[in-house]
Amino acid sequence: MSNLIVLPMVIPILIGIILIFLRPYIKIQRWVSVLSVIFSGGLGLYLLKQIQTNGILTLEFGEWKAPFGIVFVADSFSMLLVVTTSFVTLVCLLYAFATIGRALESMFFYSFVQFLIAGVNGSFLTGDLFNLFVCFEVMLVASYILVMIGGKKDQLRESIKYIAINVLSSWIFLVAIAYLYGTLGTLNMAHLAVRVSEVGQTPLLTTISILLLIVFSLKSGLLLYFWLPGSYSVPPTAVAALFGALLTKVGIYAMFRIFTLIFNHEPAITHTLIGVMAAVTLIIGSIGAIAYKDLRQIAAFNVVIAVGFIMVGLAVFSTVALEGSIYYLIHDMIVKALLFLLVGTMIALTGKNRLNQMSGLIRNYPVLGWLVFIVTLSLAGIPPFSGFLGKVLVGGAAVEKGNFVLLALAFISSLFVLYSLLRIFMNCFWGETILSIEDEPPLKKSWLIPSIILSVATFVLGVGAESIAVYVNDAAHTLMNPEIYIDAVLPDK
Amino acid sequence: MESVIIILAGILVMIATYLFLSRNLIRIILGSALLSHAVHLLLMAMGGLKKGGPPLLGEELKTYTDALPQALILTAIVINFAVTAIFLVLAYRTYQKTGTDNLNALRGFKDE
Amino acid sequence: MKETNDVILHMVTKVVVFIILTLAIYLFIAGHNQPGGGFISGLVLSSAFVLLYLSFDVETVNSGLPLNFVVVAAVGVFLSVTTGFLAIFNGKSFLTHTFTSKTFPLIGKTEMGTVTLFEAGVSLAVVGVVVTIILGISEDV
């Protein structure tokens, strides 16, 4: 029992509520929300250290014993993601302070960011399938409001699609939960894993697992990504960065958890299917990334490619591949936030959102230009930035397992990522300048600092990957050996 | 009894699908509400329908009623209630802003 | 708009609102070990408010009941989450609730549990959210 592990979910909820009372005091709202995020990040780091010495931490809500009550489980994988979430949110909040504007700030913007973080952290930490559904919904309800906030016409239109598709996927989630409860009589993830390995993964259970796969693919944009580019390109930049960094990753986390812990007995069916879906996602994402001229659409399709790449690790299904996926997951959260922030800044500066309408920005904004170059290199996986290690590990594992098609697609998609972003860099920053010195809108320092922080982070994560290697190894080890997780949750099964 | 409930859930899903595919925003919202009610019924049927037993396992009791599906359904109803409410507010705001609740009239980017 | 004569609606509302409020309190207390509880009593409570808003107009009700329902909802959730925290300070797991039995004059032996506070929070949250949303949709039609 460790009450600390519930705090990354409960503290943001409490702070979000307190911020409602502080509605007129914007300054205090900002400070309180920053403190809340720093606190959950720091707590995450502390717990990460604890897990290395004491093993997986669990908490049974209301002292109801494990298979009957709700449990929260913190292993290295979830805590790594909690820490990264807090870091990315902190930076996005800093950007929001400078850009979001008074009107949205008094419309409970910071409260809903806190609720979003509560949902994300809760999904990472929960050890119960129904509770996972609840945390997803907390996150989604907050995200519905963050997409709508401001109420521009295209925001409203995309929200309708976004909510409709998520209502549908939540419905499938509930159907899968109902079937699982009907067949196995439990919803605790560790208990489910025990039951599945006792009765064997029958075809019925495999079908249910594919239902769950559809749910999480819809949420994370694996193959079923069609709602994603629209709804990620309409909200304010700070919100889009949060979405691009966090929301799809929760779906990815859920797939990793379900298909390593519970449904790991029929990899020939489930993991092959995941591999096929990842391959198609990589292809379509690459086409999308080079097909559009709208900067935000390009950024959104880069999210889709990254989802495909991370799922390649799960499809290959070996310890090294999972390590690579986890590295890449952390890298992608940081660097996608950076990409959305930079693209949003460019659009805010020029007032245009298409490639061919911008040109020669490097003369007026050299720092911004080189930041875009850094994000290009980092996303393409060029050392010394953080994408490199993940790509190498996933690639190596794919060679070992003989998945050459996935390997080829993964690396060709990197070239497409490089091309799509170099196109932004060349078109928008080189060439004739469109803004004369007189009418260039000044680039405020507060707009750039968040991007600089994230660029430094991707560099540090690339050079100092060794420092988180212990945690990543432990996370991958736990994922590949589900009995560690099961023993922690059900010590006397 | 379970099969009756499951057939009922199927009929609800059928109606909800029809509503979901229409172009009218209010019908879509009603469809999403019906869809969740169908799954609540399914959850209840999956837990088994029994009456007369307490929700406890005991030494001397012959029957017991599984209370968990009801707790799950209550939670799901609360969540569905919140989502439907947000969806309704969104529909209302959209209607205010654009003067239409027909999805065909809402489609398309201006610069494409 | 034509002035309408809703004497009957007003009279009935004045009586029925109190019946609904009583039912809400009954459901809330019954929830301890019978069907009922915070969520349902919250819904019933909010139906009383909605009836008031329907029969009188928004301004009249607001002048008599100066409540910001967003804050009501926030207070409710705050109450529920903080009762969960109480257990942490006792060295128990999050959300553990406790109860004692006390004997009162007239009522007799009664159980008192912190779960009542949790349920009260749920009630307030439901009332706040429902009334906020209904007011949000219904204003300036």
Side-chain angles (χ1 to χ4, degrees):
Chain A
M1 187 193 88
S2 161
N3 272 311
L4 284 179
I5 66 175
V6 77
L7 294 184
M9 178 182 182
V10 174
I11 290 290
I13 289 186
L14 264 186
I15 297 292
I17 296 161
I18 291 171
L19 291 181
I20 292 179
F21 297 125
L22 296 174
R23 184 177 187 182
Y25 314 107
I26 304 263
K27 275 255 161 62
I28 304 178
Q29 282 200 35
R30 292 178 177 179
W31 280 107
V32 171
S33 48
V34 162
L35 283 179
S36 147
V37 177
I38 291 177
F39 177 77
S40 25
L43 188 69
L45 279 177
Y46 170 73
L47 289 174
L48 203 51
K49 288 243 159 60
Q50 285 272 305
I51 292 166
Q52 305 314 310
T53 49
N54 301 346
I56 296 175
L57 303 170
T58 60
L59 170 67
E60 288 151 346
F61 277 27
E63 316 226 309
W64 286 80
K65 284 299 159 213
F68 305 111
I70 299 171
V71 281
F72 259 36
V73 185
D75 66 349
S76 297
F77 186 33
S78 32
M79 281 337 276
L80 274 174
L81 293 178
V82 167
V83 172
T84 323
T85 302
S86 309
F87 174 68
V88 170
T89 315
L90 176 65
V91 178
C92 291
L93 277 176
L94 289 180
Y95 190 81
F97 294 162
T99 57
I100 203 80
R102 249 314 193 275
L104 296 191
E105 281 183 314
S106 58
M107 282 301 295
F108 309 115
F109 172 79
Y110 296 119
S111 298
F112 285 112
V113 171
Q114 294 294 323
F115 293 143
L116 182 82
I117 300 311
V120 172
N121 284 346
S123 312
F124 289 151
L125 287 169
T126 185
D128 182 281
L129 206 55
F130 193 78
N131 201 232
L132 180 67
F133 166 76
V134 174
C135 291
F136 256 107
E137 290 301 313
V138 170
M139 173 188 92
L140 287 173
V141 167
S143 76
Y144 299 154
I145 291 173
L146 288 174
V147 175
M148 275 158 63
I149 205 165
K152 290 202 217 80
K153 196 178 160 193
D154 50 352
Q155 275 183 315
L156 293 174
R157 184 189 60 224
E158 294 302 332
S159 319
I160 294 171
K161 287 192 228 164
Y162 181 65
I163 297 183
I165 198 71
N166 275 307
V167 166
L168 200 62
S169 70
S170 301
W171 177 76
I172 304 175
F173 199 172
L174 271 181
V175 170
I177 285 176
Y179 287 157
L180 263 186
Y181 190 72
T183 45
L184 294 175
T186 180
L187 289 173
N188 181 298
M189 290 202 242
H191 202 216
L192 279 175
V194 174
R195 292 263 169 104
V196 171
S197 58
E198 275 169 10
V199 298
Q201 194 172 333
T202 55
L204 181 65
L205 288 173
T206 309
T207 316
I208 297 174
S209 81
I210 289 170
L211 263 185
L212 285 171
L213 177 64
I214 292 172
V215 175
F216 298 130
S217 314
L218 265 172
K219 308 259 185 205
S220 68
L222 173 73
L223 187 59
L224 309 171
Y225 68 90
F226 38 79
W227 54 272
L228 194 149
S231 46
Y232 280 26
S233 57
V234 288
T237 304
V239 176
L242 264 184
F243 280 21
L246 303 182
L247 291 200
T248 53
K249 308 307 182 284
V250 180
I252 294 174
Y253 166 82
M255 276 192 267
F256 269 71
R257 192 54 92 202
I258 300 289
F259 286 98
T260 56
L261 178 66
I262 304 173
F263 298 110
N264 53 1
H265 306 285
E266 289 281 357
I269 300 171
T270 51
H271 290 71
T272 312
L273 191 62
I274 292 173
V276 173
M277 289 169 86
V280 179
T281 311
L282 284 169
I283 296 170
I284 298 178
S286 305
I287 295 173
I290 60 166
Y292 281 91
K293 289 209 168 75
D294 187 323
L295 293 181
R296 290 180 143 195
Q297 298 269 353
I298 297 176
F301 272 102
N302 270 298
V303 173
V304 176
I305 300 178
V307 172
F309 188 87
I310 296 167
M311 294 323 287
V312 167
L314 182 57
V316 170
F317 202 45
S318 70
T319 313
V320 180
L322 289 181
E323 264 175 43
S325 281
I326 295 168
Y327 272 120
Y328 201 79
L329 197 55
I330 296 168
H331 146 81
D332 196 64
M333 286 167 91
I334 291 172
V335 114
K336 278 288 137 53
L338 175 59
L339 179 64
F340 274 92
L341 289 185
L342 289 174
V343 163
T345 309
M346 285 165 68
I347 292 173
L349 284 175
T350 56
K352 314 240 166 50
N353 57 359
R354 292 161 77 85
L355 276 180
N356 45 2
Q357 293 167 327
M358 294 184 200
S359 171
L361 291 181
I362 194 121
R363 198 161 98 201
N364 307 27
Y365 312 110
V367 181
L368 186 64
W370 294 115
L371 286 176
V372 172
F373 190 61
I374 288 176
V375 80
T376 308
L377 296 184
S378 183
L379 268 174
I382 291 167
F385 297 106
S386 50
F388 176 65
L389 193 58
K391 293 214 168 178
V392 167
L393 287 175
V394 172
V399 171
E400 227 170 78
K401 286 261 188 158
N403 284 328
F404 293 108
V405 180
L406 279 180
L407 176 74
L409 283 173
F411 282 87
I412 293 169
S413 78
S414 304
L415 291 181
F416 276 93
V417 168
L418 186 64
Y419 174 69
S420 73
L421 293 172
L422 269 184
R423 211 162 61 117
I424 294 182
F425 184 64
M426 306 265 287
N427 265 310
C428 303
F429 286 93
W430 291 6
E432 282 290 310
T433 176
I434 51 163
L435 300 166
S436 61
I437 300 289
E438 293 86 62
D439 61 26
E440 77 167 69
L443 178 56
K444 292 198 207 95
K445 276 212 187 76
S446 52
W447 290 29
L448 265 185
I449 288 172
S451 309
I452 293 175
I453 297 175
L454 286 175
S455 308
V456 172
T458 171
F459 180 73
V460 169
L461 197 60
V463 176
E466 210 49 38
S467 60
I468 63 163
V470 206
Y471 309 119
V472 176
N473 289 348
D474 181 52
H477 180 69
T478 314
L479 284 180
M480 279 308 281
N481 300 289
E483 47 300 344
I484 304 175
Y485 187 98
I486 295 170
D487 287 342
V489 180
L490 306 167
D492 41 25
K493 60 164 188 270
Chain B
M1 192 63 189
E2 277 89 349
S3 41
V4 177
I5 295 286
I6 286 174
I7 290 169
L8 183 59
I11 293 172
L12 280 178
V13 171
M14 193 174 74
I15 301 170
T17 313
Y18 173 71
L19 287 173
F20 224 83
L21 293 174
S22 72
R23 291 191 206 99
N24 185 313
L25 197 44
I26 294 297
R27 287 187 184 204
I28 292 179
I29 297 170
L30 289 177
S32 78
L34 276 186
L35 209 53
S36 355
H37 288 314
V39 80
H40 299 155
L41 286 181
L42 181 70
L43 267 170
M44 198 161 80
M46 282 296 164
L49 298 166
K50 260 178 272 171
K51 59 179 185 179
L56 295 165
L57 270 177
E59 298 281 311
E60 67 274 21
L61 289 164
K62 297 240 167 44
T63 64
Y64 91 105
T65 312
D66 193 355
L68 191 66
Q70 299 179 17
L72 302 186
I73 292 170
L74 182 60
T75 317
I77 287 176
V78 175
I79 289 168
N80 172 40
F81 164 72
V83 172
T84 311
I86 287 177
F87 215 167
L88 273 173
V89 172
L90 172 68
Y92 178 64
R93 292 266 298 274
T94 315
Y95 181 71
Q96 266 185 328
K97 195 100 183 169
T98 61
T100 178
D101 62 350
N102 185 326
L103 289 188
N104 272 1
L106 283 171
R107 62 196 288 188
F109 288 88
K110 219 187 327 171
D111 54 345
E112 266 174 21
Chain C
M1 211 172 83
K2 211 177 107 233
E3 195 65 34
T4 51
N5 186 358
D6 0 285
V7 175
I8 296 176
L9 181 62
H10 285 191
M11 280 312 294
V12 171
T13 306
K14 279 175 195 162
V15 179
V16 165
V17 159
F18 286 98
I19 299 176
I20 298 178
L21 291 178
T22 316
L23 175 69
I25 293 169
Y26 166 74
L27 280 174
F28 181 80
I29 295 171
H32 193 63
N33 44 20
Q34 270 176 320
F39 181 70
I40 296 166
S41 88
L43 280 180
V44 174
L45 266 180
S46 43
S47 78
F49 285 113
V50 172
L51 182 61
L52 277 179
Y53 278 113
L54 272 179
S55 66
F56 306 94
D57 56 63
V58 175
E59 285 79 30
T60 320
V61 181
N62 279 352
S63 64
L65 266 177
L67 279 177
N68 181 353
F69 282 95
V70 178
V71 175
V72 172
V75 170
V77 184
F78 190 77
L79 198 59
S80 293
V81 179
T82 39
T83 49
F85 266 111
L86 288 180
I88 293 186
F89 299 122
N90 275 338
K92 298 266 180 56
S93 296
F94 180 68
L95 279 180
T96 309
H97 288 284
T98 168
F99 67 93
T100 56
S101 297
K102 279 230 169 76
T103 313
F104 287 101
L106 295 179
I107 309 172
K109 196 169 170 231
T110 311
E111 281 186 359
M112 296 172 66
T114 52
V115 76
T116 314
L117 287 175
F118 179 85
E119 288 286 316
V122 173
S123 270
L124 287 178
V126 171
V127 171
V129 172
V130 171
V131 179
T132 307
I133 286 166
I134 288 177
L135 285 185
I137 300 178
S138 64
E139 72 193 1
D140 66 57
V141 175

